[in-house]
Amino acid sequence: MRPPDEGVYERDLLVAELLDAPDSPALDRLARLVVRVVPAPIALVMVAGEGKAIVVGHAGLPEGAGRGVPAGSFGHRVLAHGESSDPNALPGTWEGETLGARAALGIPVNVGEGPVMGALVILDDRARVWTTDEIQAARELAAVVSMELDRRSVQSHSRRAERHQAVLERSPEAILVHVDGTIRFANAAAVSLLGGHQLADVTGRPIDTFFSPPYLKAVQEGLLQPEQQNQSPPLAEDVLHRLDGSTRYVELAALAYLRDDKPAVQMFLRDITERRVAREALRAREAQLRLLMERIPALYWTTDRSLHMEYWRPRGDPSAPGKSIGDFFGKPPDSVPVTTHQRALGGNGASDVMEWGGREYEVRVEPIWDEDGNVSGTVGVAVDTTVRRRAEAREREEREIDALGRVAGGVAHGVNNALATVVGVASVMAMDPSLTRDERRNLEAILGASARAQAIAANLLGFSRQGRYRTVPVDLNTVAKEAAEWTRNHDRTVGLDLADDLPAVKGDPVQLRQVLVNVCQNAVEATRQGERVRIVTRRARVEMHEGGDRPGESGIVACLEVGDAGAGMPAEVRARAVEPFFTTKGLGEGAGLGLSMAFGVMRSHGGDLHIKSAPGAGTAVTLCFPMADPEIALPATRAPARVAEAPPAGEPAGEPGSKAVLLVDDDEWVLYSSRQVVESLGYEAVEAIDGPTALTHFQQAGARFAFVLLDLRMPGMDGEEVLRRLLALDPEVRVIICTGYERDQVSQRIFATGHVGFLGKPFGVQELLEQVRELGVDAAVNEGVSR
């Protein structure tokens, strides 16, 4: 199906070619033949151009007449209306006025069945009437001219096709044509793009070898809409399946038409694979950037010169654009958000710290410059530093607490060493049956005061993480019930809320009970008689950035909370609540060690202690414990161990002849008290003030020692090194480690090396006797030993 103007298009092409080659001998010969056959002085072969007629062949045309035929000529009349021999049509025409014609005969000329393309015009300077034979001869000669023009048209088409073919072949764009679904033509670029090496590789193949059905459906729909045939084909993207099995992304334009009543499509293809890959990579980077901007704890915004918000990210706030900086952040004109932006408007970047929305941010604001070098606005970024600053504050607090802990630990060790002397000597003196009642009461007062001092030292060691603990699975609900009972005994109403699914925690049950007693005692003292104290257990997730005074490790923990409705604490008191010896009570009303000991014990157990309090809002102390392995069963309740009876006085200790004990300690008063205790059990004491001296004594008389009482912490050679060398001398030696630490705080490899026992400072006769018997050493005990 030809477009309606195709004939005109071909005519114009032919005219253009005839004008490019105005010397047309064949058409001139035809014109000379015409004037011989039809006797006349002038014969013109005209072709119609756009708005004009051109003489392309002539005979008898005067010199200087030119080849352009102006509008309104006789030739134009023939081109427009057909054959004419009317002499009345000549007056005022180019032929009549310029060429002096008095008679004219015009026959239209066409090419095949196409439109009129020209005219054969015969002119005579005499007025005459054309005979029938002359008119018939003119018609036959016009047919010959038509054949010549037809020949030239075919040549024009051929040359045009050749030029078009050359353009297609040399085009860097891939071009192909498929008719009725089969490829009929492909230029070199298309052959290469389709994965072929020569034209025969792709021609004759179905188009769906390379494209999927959605494309073919779109082509068919285009054929069904003929009103779109003359429109520029839209660009589309599709996947091209190449002959080698690979795929490429292409941009294509498909022009659909009918060819011999069959659907045909001319396709223009461009390989956009690299562009597509680059575009996808750019999209991925943009997505990553968006994700990064959304996830990082930072805020971004821009303002205009009047400091009104233009852009806000990542928090979606549709009301942000248009707000002033002060209104958006809710800050006065002299606040950090406003002043930093004002400095940026002056052309200088500005940084500061601000609080907003309960968080703390480091703010940086920079000017935005336009093309003329003027400040057109500002851009700001705020990084959330709340977690870091809280962590820094916690780290400072931890350093302060650790320093206090080291001091407290040193004090506690000194006190324990002093108490070792007092308790040891007093316990030996208490064995004297000749003591009067007053003397015995004095010794009981000394031992009682020593016990209280030992409790204070234990609290200090707990605060310094050097307490004496044994770690076993503990039922936190059971501990909570015991604490509730203790609180009720002090005339306080207790609200008990226990979690049913609370797992066991890891800890020393004795120490944990003492922690609960200390915390409950604070709650009792903060409330009036009859007021309510609540005790709650629960699971909780503790995060490092969570609010509170001392956030602990992240993760699931078991918590026990003791709350009261007392007066509460101001922030400055709450910040120091766990410091040792800090108290708001009057002189003599409290030592300030209850919460500090609780805090130290909790940290030693891998847990933490949180305090929430405010004036008038009461206080809640929460203890957070790491949960024990759920597969570990809770320990069964055991009856207290029975103390074995002492053997009669005078019996030998251990093997025959083993009546001596080697005492090793760097404190001479501890050695003195230890001598009193072991001699009260019927042993001979041999003293060593340091490790080398002890090894010398043992090398000289090792076999005569029933056991060695060895201090663990000594300058120079410590107790662990002394033990290693004693075992090298005698693998069967019995050693009792004596220290202010609990057994769980001592390296467990010590107890795996031989017959090694443990005795905590301070100790008396009964404690040493029990340890001696656990090691399997028979002891001779004086009758005055108290059981």
Side-chain angles (χ1 to χ4, degrees):
M1 181 176 68
R2 287 185 175 182
D5 59 347
E6 183 176 348
V8 175
Y9 173 72
E10 292 181 355
R11 181 198 66 189
D12 291 342
L13 287 176
L14 178 60
V15 171
E17 289 197 6
L18 291 173
L19 290 178
D20 288 341
D23 184 15
S24 304
L27 293 176
D28 287 342
R29 285 196 297 270
L30 284 174
R32 289 193 292 271
L33 177 63
V34 168
V35 297
R36 286 197 298 271
V37 173
V38 180
I42 300 173
L44 304 175
V45 178
M46 298 180 183
V47 293
E50 185 176 356
K52 62 182 179 179
I54 304 295
V55 176
V56 295
H58 67 91
L61 185 66
E63 291 290 336
R67 290 179 176 269
V69 181
S73 67
F74 178 80
H76 279 91
R77 178 184 178 88
V78 174
L79 290 172
H81 302 290
E83 181 177 318
S84 176
S85 60
D86 185 4
N88 296 322
L90 282 173
T93 64
W94 173 75
E95 291 87 351
E97 298 297 328
T98 301
L99 301 181
R102 295 291 180 267
L105 174 61
I107 309 297
V109 176
N110 57 4
V111 177
E113 297 181 358
V116 174
M117 298 188 67
L120 173 63
V121 177
I122 305 171
L123 303 174
D124 199 332
D125 55 359
R126 297 169 301 160
R128 56 172 294 187
V129 177
W130 306 98
T131 66
T132 303
D133 292 337
E134 289 175 333
I135 294 173
Q136 182 61 34
R139 289 172 179 169
E140 292 175 357
L141 289 171
V144 175
V145 172
S146 177
M147 287 187 291
E148 175 63 17
L149 293 179
D150 191 28
R151 183 184 67 80
R152 289 175 178 259
S153 178
V154 170
Q155 290 178 344
S156 175
H157 274 287
S158 177
R159 287 193 297 269
R160 190 168 70 249
E162 290 174 358
R163 288 195 297 268
H164 182 63
Q165 183 76 11
V167 169
L168 293 181
E169 288 293 340
R170 294 185 177 92
S171 172
E173 301 291 340
I175 303 173
L176 64 84
V177 175
H178 62 88
V179 179
D180 200 18
T182 301
I183 296 177
R184 298 300 184 192
F185 168 79
N187 66 356
V191 171
S192 176
L193 180 59
L194 297 179
H197 299 287
Q198 54 189 358
L199 184 61
D201 293 339
V202 298
T203 55
R205 289 181 180 269
I207 190 63
D208 58 8
T209 304
F210 305 97
F211 292 96
S212 55
Y215 156 74
L216 302 177
K217 181 180 179 182
V219 170
Q220 292 173 357
E221 291 176 352
L223 287 174
L224 296 176
Q225 300 176 9
E227 68 277 3
Q228 298 182 1
Q229 291 180 2
N230 295 326
Q231 298 179 2
S232 299
L235 290 176
E237 291 185 10
D238 206 341
V239 177
L240 170 67
H241 304 278
R242 305 176 78 233
L243 292 175
D244 58 6
S246 63
T247 58
R248 306 291 287 180
Y249 290 102
V250 294
E251 184 179 68
L252 61 88
L255 181 61
Y257 61 98
L258 292 178
R259 181 173 176 179
D260 298 330
D261 295 329
K262 294 181 180 180
V265 176
Q266 183 170 350
M267 297 179 62
F268 303 87
L269 306 173
R270 179 178 298 167
D271 190 343
I272 60 169
T273 303
E274 273 91 23
R275 188 176 77 187
R276 176 75 173 261
V277 171
R279 186 174 62 193
E280 295 299 326
L282 179 59
R283 288 177 179 173
R285 286 195 296 270
E286 290 176 348
Q288 290 174 350
L289 181 59
R290 285 195 299 270
L291 181 62
L292 178 64
M293 293 178 67
E294 292 290 345
R295 294 291 177 87
I296 63 176
L299 313 176
Y300 305 89
W301 65 89
T302 60
T303 74
D304 58 17
R305 275 199 58 81
S306 62
L307 295 186
H308 284 78
M309 301 285 286
E310 291 183 325
Y311 174 80
W312 171 256
R313 190 181 182 93
R315 297 183 179 181
D317 187 352
S319 65
K323 282 187 177 180
S324 70
I325 285 294
D327 291 340
F328 182 80
F329 287 105
K331 301 293 183 179
D334 58 347
S335 64
V336 168
V338 178
T339 57
T340 51
H341 284 77
Q342 289 173 342
R343 290 199 294 271
L345 285 179
N348 300 310
S351 298
D352 214 323
V353 177
M354 75 170 183
E355 290 186 359
W356 182 62
R359 311 290 291 179
E360 194 172 77
Y361 295 89
E362 287 185 358
V363 181
R364 180 70 184 178
V365 183
E366 292 286 345
I368 298 176
W369 303 89
D370 61 19
E371 295 179 354
D372 298 327
N374 300 317
V375 177
S376 61
T378 65
V379 56
V381 58
V383 178
D384 190 340
T385 58
T386 307
V387 173
R388 174 169 61 82
R389 292 184 180 273
R390 287 181 180 176
E392 289 172 352
R394 176 175 171 80
E395 184 179 354
R396 288 193 299 271
E397 183 181 78
E398 287 284 351
R399 287 198 298 267
E400 294 171 359
I401 294 297
D402 286 341
L404 288 172
R406 287 191 294 271
V407 173
V411 171
H413 280 296
V415 169
N416 273 338
N417 277 340
L419 289 176
T421 302
V422 174
V423 172
V425 174
S427 65
V428 173
M429 294 176 63
M431 295 169 58
D432 187 353
S434 64
L435 292 174
T436 66
R437 180 178 179 183
D438 290 340
E439 290 172 338
R440 187 171 298 279
R441 292 195 56 172
N442 290 339
L443 288 174
E444 289 174 354
I446 291 173
L447 291 172
S450 298
R452 290 192 296 276
Q454 183 180 355
I456 294 175
N459 284 344
L460 288 174
L461 287 172
F463 175 80
S464 64
R465 307 190 212 190
Q466 298 174 6
R468 297 186 267 185
Y469 313 128
R470 58 187 180 89
T471 302
V472 297
V474 177
D475 183 358
L476 202 58
N477 283 338
T478 299
V479 177
K481 293 175 183 176
E482 294 174 354
E485 189 61 32
W486 182 93
T487 306
R488 291 191 185 97
N489 291 338
H490 288 75
D491 297 324
R492 296 296 186 275
T493 303
V494 178
L496 198 60
D497 184 6
L498 306 181
D500 294 334
D501 59 345
L502 196 68
V505 301
K506 296 180 292 184
D508 185 319
V510 175
Q511 292 293 334
L512 296 186
R513 290 188 187 96
Q514 185 61 46
V515 166
L516 262 295
V517 168
N518 288 352
V519 174
C520 290
Q521 183 174 355
N522 282 358
V524 168
E525 293 173 353
T527 56
R528 293 186 297 273
Q529 186 173 353
E531 287 187 336
R532 185 183 181 88
V533 174
R534 65 184 183 280
I535 300 177
V536 180
T537 61
R538 66 177 184 276
R539 289 189 183 209
R541 173 176 289 277
V542 178
E543 303 290 348
M544 286 299 296
H545 63 272
E546 192 174 73
D549 291 338
R550 292 177 174 83
E553 297 289 335
S554 300
I556 300 297
V557 296
C559 294
L560 189 152
E561 179 182 298
V562 177
D564 63 67
M569 294 182 284
E572 60 272 15
V573 173
R574 187 177 70 247
R576 302 186 60 191
V578 298
E579 292 183 13
F581 306 113
F582 174 78
T583 180
T584 57
K585 300 175 183 176
L587 184 62
E589 297 181 3
L593 287 172
L595 282 180
S596 64
M597 186 277 289
F599 179 63
V601 169
M602 290 307 300
R603 291 202 300 174
S604 296
H605 280 72
D608 212 339
L609 181 148
H610 303 254
I611 301 176
K612 291 186 178 180
S613 183
T619 301
V621 179
T622 303
L623 309 175
C624 295
F625 300 83
M627 293 186 293
D629 188 337
E631 296 182 359
I632 300 178
L634 293 173
T637 303
R638 296 184 301 176
R642 183 176 64 84
V643 178
E645 296 183 359
E651 286 190 6
E655 297 297 328
S658 299
K659 297 181 180 180
V661 175
L662 178 59
L663 307 178
V664 188
D665 202 296
D666 62 320
D667 189 313
E668 58 180 331
W669 287 108
V670 173
L671 284 176
Y672 174 78
S673 63
S674 299
R675 171 187 285 275
Q676 301 300 313
V677 172
V678 299
E679 287 181 347
S680 70
L681 294 177
Y683 292 103
E684 173 190 351
V686 177
E687 299 177 2
I689 197 67
D690 55 30
T693 304
L695 294 174
T696 300
H697 288 324
F698 194 82
Q699 286 173 335
Q700 293 175 353
R704 61 188 291 262
F705 294 124
F707 60 92
V708 178
L709 191 60
L710 176 61
D711 185 23
L712 191 61
R713 300 289 182 239
M714 295 185 296
M717 185 184 298
D718 64 8
E720 188 172 352
E721 177 64 18
V722 173
L723 174 62
R724 187 181 64 78
R725 297 193 182 192
L726 287 175
L727 290 171
L729 295 172
D730 181 5
E732 298 300 321
V733 63
R734 286 168 170 78
V735 179
I736 299 176
I737 297 295
C738 185
T739 180
Y741 296 98
E742 180 56 46
R743 182 184 182 109
D744 289 343
Q745 264 58 51
V746 178
S747 175
Q748 295 304 304
R749 64 176 177 270
I750 291 178
F751 303 105
T753 53
H755 304 287
V756 181
F758 181 83
L759 187 62
K761 291 181 182 178
F763 63 89
V765 174
Q766 191 64 34
E767 290 83 6
L768 178 60
L769 177 60
E770 291 175 359
Q771 191 58 226
V772 166
R773 286 173 172 166
E774 284 188 14
L775 279 179
V777 179
D778 293 328
V781 185
N782 291 328
E783 292 180 357
V785 173
S786 175
R787 296 179 175 85

